[in-house]
């Protein structure tokens, strides 16, 4: 038996919005510790990894390991039927784990919607992601990162991210011209969520596809801050932390032909 | 010319 009741049901709605563009089908791996999902996009350029810890649910029950194969587009359609303030409960039985039950309770508990989502067998390989000491770690407002990606898309399909002592610079060059945005590290005691924090081991310069970064910024509503981790010749990590877990996006760097 | 590298070559298969 698997049962997970999420008081902040709106979080699940936002989470689905943040992965559905990148991944079509994925397994939700449910265990005692929580719900995890790892999937690559169709072109195997990006990887999404998300975790919702069991402590974030009330109650959470998972007797044994479950792998629930879900078409994310279908799940997203059903989750659109839940109100933003609804409590969402997910359930799957031992015997008939061929469907996932979802119930949506409104805050007054006088309207309850119940839905069943058919599950599917998904043969997905699970990659192990090693702990990495990154050359540069940047914590910045997520809305600012989204704006930079959106603005530079006007100029080019790719962006070069340069990190040096106290500056992160995003540069795009295209047929119509070029553009760059520099952010200096700042600290705001009153509003720490608005500051730009740069931790640097050594200077980094890497180029990435803006199309994928734009997709990653679908995670913006999940957190006021985004964490960017970069190392030379390594995938970029873009992370949005939530109270009950995280969503991490990995993107392989563009490399010279 | 640039091309986008594959992500799965950076991570280990179990």
């Amino acid at each position: 038996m698997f049962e997970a009741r999420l008081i902040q049901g709106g979080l699940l709605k936002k989470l689905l919005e943040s992965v559905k563009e990148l991944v079509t089908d994925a397994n939700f791996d449910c265990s005692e510790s929580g719900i995890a999902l790892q999937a690559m996009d169709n072109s195997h350029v990006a990887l999404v990894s998300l975790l919702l810890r069991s402590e974030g649910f009330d109650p959470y029950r998972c007797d044994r390991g479950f792998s629930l194969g879900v078409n994310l587009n279908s799940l997203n359609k059903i989750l659109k039927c839940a109100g933003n303030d609804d409590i969402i409960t997910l359930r799957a039985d031992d015997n008939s784990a061929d469907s996932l039950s979802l119930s949506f309770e409104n805050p007054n508990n006088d309207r309850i919607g119940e839905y069943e989502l058919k599950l599917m067998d998904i043969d997905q390989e699970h990659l192990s992601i090693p702990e990495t000491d990154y050359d540069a770690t940047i914590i910045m407002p997520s809305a600012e990162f989204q704006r930079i990606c959106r603005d530079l898309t006007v100029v080019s399909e790719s962006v070069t991210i340069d990190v040096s002592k106290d500056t992160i610079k995003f540069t795009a060059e295209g047929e119509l011209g070029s553009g760059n945005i520099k952010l200096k590290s700042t600290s705001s005691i009153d509003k720490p969520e608005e500051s730009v924090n740069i931790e640097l081991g050594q200077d980094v310069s890497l180029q990435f596809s803006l199309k994928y970064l734009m997709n990653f910024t679908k995670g913006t509503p999940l957190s006021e801050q985004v964490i960017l981790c970069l190392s030379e010749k390594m995938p970029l990590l873009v992370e949005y932390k939530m109270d009950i877990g995280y969503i991490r996006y990995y993107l392989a760097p563009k490399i010279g032909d | 010319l640039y091309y986008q590298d594959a992500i799965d070559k950076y991570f280990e298969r179990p």
Side-chain angles (χ1 to χ4, degrees):
Chain A
M1 173 80 186
F2 164 71
E3 183 178 357
R5 183 169 174 269
L6 185 62
I7 306 291
Q8 272 185 283
L11 190 67
L12 200 59
K13 286 164 68 83
K14 289 179 194 168
L15 256 181
L16 256 288
E17 284 292 332
S18 67
V19 292
K20 71 166 171 81
E21 301 280 325
L22 220 50
V23 180
T24 320
D25 302 316
N27 285 316
F28 282 88
D29 297 315
C30 309
S31 67
E32 277 179 27
S33 57
I35 304 171
L37 177 150
Q38 190 203 84
M40 280 187 277
D41 78 304
N42 286 336
S43 57
H44 287 206
V45 166
L47 181 130
V48 186
S49 168
L50 73 85
L51 176 73
L52 298 172
R53 286 184 282 270
S54 55
E55 304 89 75
F57 297 87
D58 184 23
Y60 184 90
R61 205 180 131 195
C62 189
D63 302 337
R64 62 175 179 87
F66 269 86
S67 218
L68 307 173
V70 168
N71 175 282
L72 297 181
N73 196 32
S74 305
L75 176 59
N76 193 47
K77 281 181 187 169
I78 289 185
L79 285 173
K80 280 190 190 294
C81 305
N84 288 332
D85 301 326
D86 281 2
I87 298 168
I88 296 181
T89 306
L90 309 173
R91 272 188 210 91
D93 288 331
D94 266 338
N95 310 329
S96 60
D98 56 353
S99 70
L100 173 69
S101 307
L102 300 102
S103 75
F104 308 146
E105 292 170 63
N106 72 349
N108 291 337
N109 197 21
D110 53 12
R111 183 186 192 278
I112 299 163
E114 293 189 315
Y115 295 83
E116 292 272 327
L117 175 69
K118 285 183 191 162
L119 297 175
M120 53 203 288
D121 279 328
I122 299 169
D123 187 18
Q124 227 161 31
E125 53 186 358
H126 202 87
L127 301 173
S128 74
I129 302 167
E131 284 290 315
T132 307
D133 285 327
Y134 286 96
D135 292 338
T137 302
I138 295 99
I139 305 175
M140 61 184 283
S142 58
E144 177 66 80
F145 180 59
Q146 186 176 40
R147 181 182 168 194
I148 289 169
C149 293
R150 198 173 49 217
D151 290 351
L152 292 182
T153 301
V154 171
V155 179
S156 175
E157 288 178 355
S158 57
V159 61
T160 303
I161 304 179
D162 293 289
V163 192
S164 58
K165 203 173 73 186
D166 58 354
T167 308
I168 176 166
K169 183 178 166 194
F170 301 84
T171 309
E173 286 176 16
E175 283 178 16
L176 70 81
S178 65
N180 77 73
I181 296 144
K182 287 188 268 302
L183 295 181
K184 299 250 168 143
S185 62
T186 58
S187 59
S188 167
I189 295 161
D190 297 337
K191 293 182 178 173
E193 67 278 5
E194 289 179 10
S195 58
V196 176
N197 185 287
I198 299 172
E199 267 178 47
L200 189 69
Q202 62 178 67
D203 291 5
V204 190
S205 178
L206 288 165
Q207 192 180 38
F208 299 99
S209 155
L210 274 168
K211 186 183 83 176
Y212 282 93
L213 294 183
M214 286 285 283
N215 257 325
F216 296 175
T217 61
K218 296 272 195 299
T220 305
L222 293 166
S223 176
E224 286 192 275
Q225 290 180 309
V226 62
I227 305 167
L228 311 178
C229 300
L230 302 101
S231 276
E232 286 295 338
K233 296 177 184 164
M234 283 293 293
L236 165 74
L237 164 58
V238 177
E239 177 173 5
Y240 298 88
K241 276 192 200 301
M242 302 167 277
D243 289 341
I244 73 163
Y246 59 76
I247 181 160
R248 292 175 182 160
Y249 301 95
Y250 295 88
L251 180 62
K254 282 194 159 197
I255 48 178
D257 191 10
Chain B
L1 278 174
Y2 286 88
Y3 67 95
Q4 189 71 50
D5 207 359
I7 191 78
D8 41 343
K9 81 169 209 193
Y10 291 95
F11 299 129
E12 291 166 27
R13 288 189 161 78

